[in-house]
Amino acid sequence: MKQLQKFYPHFLALIGFITISIVYFYPVLQGKKIFQSDIVQYTGMAKEQNDFRAEYHTEPYWTNSAFGGMPTYQLGANYPHDYIGKLDDLLRFLPRPADYLFLYFLGFYGLLLVFRVDPLKAFFGALAFGFSTYLIVILGVGHNAKAHAIAYMPLVVAGFILVFRKKYLHGGILTMLAVALEINANHFQMTYYLLFLLMVLGIYLLYKLFQEKDLKSLPKIAGTFAVAVALAVGVNATSLMATKEYTDSSIRGKSELTFNADGSKNNTTASMSNDYITEYSYGIGESLDLIAPRLFGGSNVENVGKDSKLYEFIINQGGSEEEASQFAESAPTYWGDQPIVAAPAYIGAIVFFLCVLALYHDKRKIKYAFVAGALLSLLLSWGKNFSGLTNFFIEYVPLYDKFRAVSSIQVILELCIPVLAIMGLQSFFKDTENQKKSLLYTAATSIGLIVVLFLAKSMFSFSTENDGYYIQAYGKEMGTAFVQALKADRASLFMADLLRSGFFMAVAFGALWFYLKGKLAQNTAIILVGIFMVGDLFFVDKNYVSNNPKQFKSAREVDQPFEPTPADEEILKDKSVYRVYELQGRLQGRTSYFHKSVGGYSAVRPRRYDQLFDYQIDKKLADLGSNIDPKTLSLTKNIPVLDALNIKYLLVEVKDGQSVPITNPFANGNAWFVSELRKVNSADEEMKALDKLDTKNIAVFNPGPFIKTKVNKAFVKDSTATIQLKVYKPNHIEYTSNNANDGFAVFSETYYKDGWKATIDGKEEEIFRTDYVLRGLYIPKGKHTIEFNFEPQVVKTGSSIALFSSIGMLLVILGGVYVDQKKKKQA
């Protein structure tokens, strides 16, 4: 009975998390789904593999519908023996996106329990973490993998701390499961950033061991971590190994080219350019959005209402009330440093207030580790605005150059500050010494900051470089007046949100002050602070992720987000195998939903394929209009590189916004024999050779370290020779060839050195990388059957490791339960 009473508060907290998660996203109870822009693009990218999986009940691990062909390792591939994924599915039993919100709450609640926070405070702390605006906004746009990884971060930290507290059994098992789930979430950027926080915490906890002269515990701590992490990595071996294998071939790998697309020298040694890595960098002043949401305008689209200067401006210009409302409901008020912002990264005014309280009142030194983690996160999130530190990390910190959007490292801050906030709340009620002094200092610091910003309004410009666009678009006089109206509304948001944050801080101060004066009971004060703390975040979140029909749609609209256009329908009449290039949007997933596209939507798209368009195709299509027959809507001049990719149709947008299909009658087809194999010695030479290459007759290849077979450089290209496509599946392609002479064939399929096997009449042959991205094969004379099969060894090896690691993990858990029960009986 005592055990049941012990778990009763936690059970209530769990029910509360489930209820709040569903209520916040209540349309899921009506069978609706949230319309997430990123997931819509993913749906287009993944359609071919999903259709294949449904038809053949197996995984292809390759898709031909995006970027000419790429592995599906980062497209939701299912791997054998992914038992940790099954556990994750059990935890995410709620409809999406309520499942991720529930995970936010659950993970942070677990971390607070490790800090011995009582259930009531931990409950409100978990809600404050989960409703942190950035964490909600990423659910709205569809950054599901990011949200997934963030949700497990607190549990990893909890296990890490427990092990250092010498709770080897419970801490080791929690660390093992939490790390396994964190890796399984498959957002390595978030997991990588988590390592920075663990490093800071580790330095503090090791220092504490040295201070206590308890070095004899180090081997046990290290051993516990070694076993836990080894098994956690092992159960995710397939995903990790597959990702590692593919990374070097993606845009996250280092470029082999020493020059840029414009011909200038490529000086960077990073995997990606500094500009690309730091494109999304928080402005230094913009970080104040953490405590007042719209100091820098909020998002790129804000509703400023009918009382706004923008609404007044449109009316004064002769616009109708409807037109003025449309402008006011989507005002471009954001004036920070980032290109696009869906919402400010607001952590909550009361959360900040309580964090300051922890700094003044909490005596636990671990708070300084969380402060250091938060500060490091903040400084790195400034990116190009704090270039010295950022460039140092890009150049010298391993793997830092693999990830872009450095602003997202603020998730570490968004974990640390709520921890500090609840530490402050906990210590305030637990440690009665100097309560009044700490509370007054906290009010002076936090509310004082609000007052200073309020008085310093004149120091802010409320303008952005993008304002020049409106002056150019609307004319100097009207454009300037439009921008002035915008700036006035930005200033209004600035003042209004400072007052708002000041009000919430004053409420928290008042509740704690009245508790000190004996006017409020402890639980009443906690509940008041908790309700206002969570309510503050809740109503800000609703401005950006709400339950309106624009964001929640029917299941069919979400599962089938694209409808074919007349241009798509026209192309789909052609039942042969070919590729499509949508010129006005190569980097999107819509085209892949209907066709075998040379574009797609992926942060890890194939590097060489991407470069081919940057360095070759886009330049050659610059004057496309003069190369189209308006009567037949077909190209009148061939573009050899385009032809080699078997791009038979180009989708080109016309004036009315509709796309029309342009036929390319010069496409090389699925495979063809060439008369010459031209050897080059570097990636630079490969790319430059394509400038004027006759791809129908000549193939370029760089043997590099991979090619072992020696072949002739010249071949007799007989006009009677044929090579025909017979079977075309994502992971299996079959041709028949007939040639009176030995020949070399080029296939319009993406070359990928790992996994693809080519056989001629059942005998394996070596695949050449030709024309920078394609496959080539030496084919002896006569009639032959040629097959390409994608059989990635990495999946087989990784799955075996995952199976044995899962068994090991199960044995550790069962052993832990047995030892724990034995200790209880002995006690």
Side-chain angles (χ1 to χ4, degrees), residues 196-197 200 368-378 409 412-413 416:
F196 287 94
L197 176 58
V200 172
Y368 296 117
F370 282 100
V371 169
L375 285 175
L376 178 63
S377 166
L378 181 65
I409 199 174
I412 300 303
L413 177 148
C416 292

Side-chain angles (χ1 to χ4, degrees), residues 572-584:
L572 289 169
K573 291 177 183 177
D574 186 341
K575 301 303 179 184
S576 63
V577 177
Y578 50 84
R579 290 199 172 82
V580 176
Y581 179 20
E582 187 160 357
L583 266 73
Q584 273 70 35

Side-chain angles (χ1 to χ4, degrees), residues 676-693:
E676 181 183 346
L677 189 60
R678 187 173 296 172
K679 180 183 174 183
V680 294
N681 297 309
S682 68
D684 285 0
E685 290 182 25
E686 279 184 274
M687 182 60 77
K688 290 174 181 177
L690 296 175
D691 289 344
K692 298 179 180 179
L693 188 71

Side-chain angles (χ1 to χ4, degrees), residues 159-167 201-202 205-206 209 218 221 225:
F160 188 79
I161 292 172
L162 280 177
V163 172
F164 269 99
R165 284 186 188 166
K166 307 180 193 69
K167 303 287 185 182
L201 282 170
L205 293 168
L206 283 171
L209 284 178
L218 277 178
I221 291 170
F225 281 136

Side-chain angles (χ1 to χ4, degrees), residues 581-707:
Y581 179 20
E582 187 160 357
L583 266 73
Q584 273 70 35
R586 184 171 71 90
L587 301 181
Q588 44 76 27
R590 193 206 73 85
T591 317
S592 298
Y593 191 80
F594 300 106
H595 313 289
K596 291 173 174 57
S597 173
V598 293
Y601 186 82
S602 175
V604 287
R605 55 189 180 271
R607 184 186 66 251
R608 279 181 165 248
Y609 218 85
D610 203 52
Q611 289 173 333
L612 198 66
F613 280 82
D614 291 342
Y615 285 70
Q616 293 288 339
I617 295 174
D618 290 345
K619 292 179 182 179
K620 293 182 167 90
L621 288 176
D623 60 343
L624 181 66
S626 62
N627 193 20
I628 297 175
D629 186 331
K631 294 182 180 179
T632 62
L633 291 179
S634 61
L635 295 182
T636 57
K637 181 182 178 183
N638 77 308
I639 301 173
V641 179
L642 200 76
D643 303 339
L645 300 181
N646 195 23
I647 297 175
K648 194 174 180 180
Y649 298 97
L650 296 92
L651 280 168
V652 180
E653 192 175 291
V654 291
K655 289 183 180 179
D656 59 1
Q658 297 294 314
S659 293
V660 295
I662 305 299
T663 306
N664 175 22
F666 308 104
N668 291 5
N670 304 113
W672 60 97
F673 285 107
V674 295
S675 57
E676 181 183 346
L677 189 60
R678 187 173 296 172
K679 180 183 174 183
V680 294
N681 297 309
S682 68
D684 285 0
E685 290 182 25
E686 279 184 274
M687 182 60 77
K688 290 174 181 177
L690 296 175
D691 289 344
K692 298 179 180 179
L693 188 71
D694 176 9
T695 58
K696 287 181 173 60
N697 295 297
I698 302 170
V700 173
F701 92 108
N702 172 16
F706 308 119
I707 303 300

Side-chain angles (χ1 to χ4, degrees), residues 29 100 137 152 264 353 357 396 569 594 598 612 811:
L29 297 175
Y100 290 123
V137 168
Y152 286 124
S264 62
F353 180 90
L357 180 60
Y396 300 108
E569 291 173 342
F594 300 106
V598 293
L612 198 66
L811 292 174

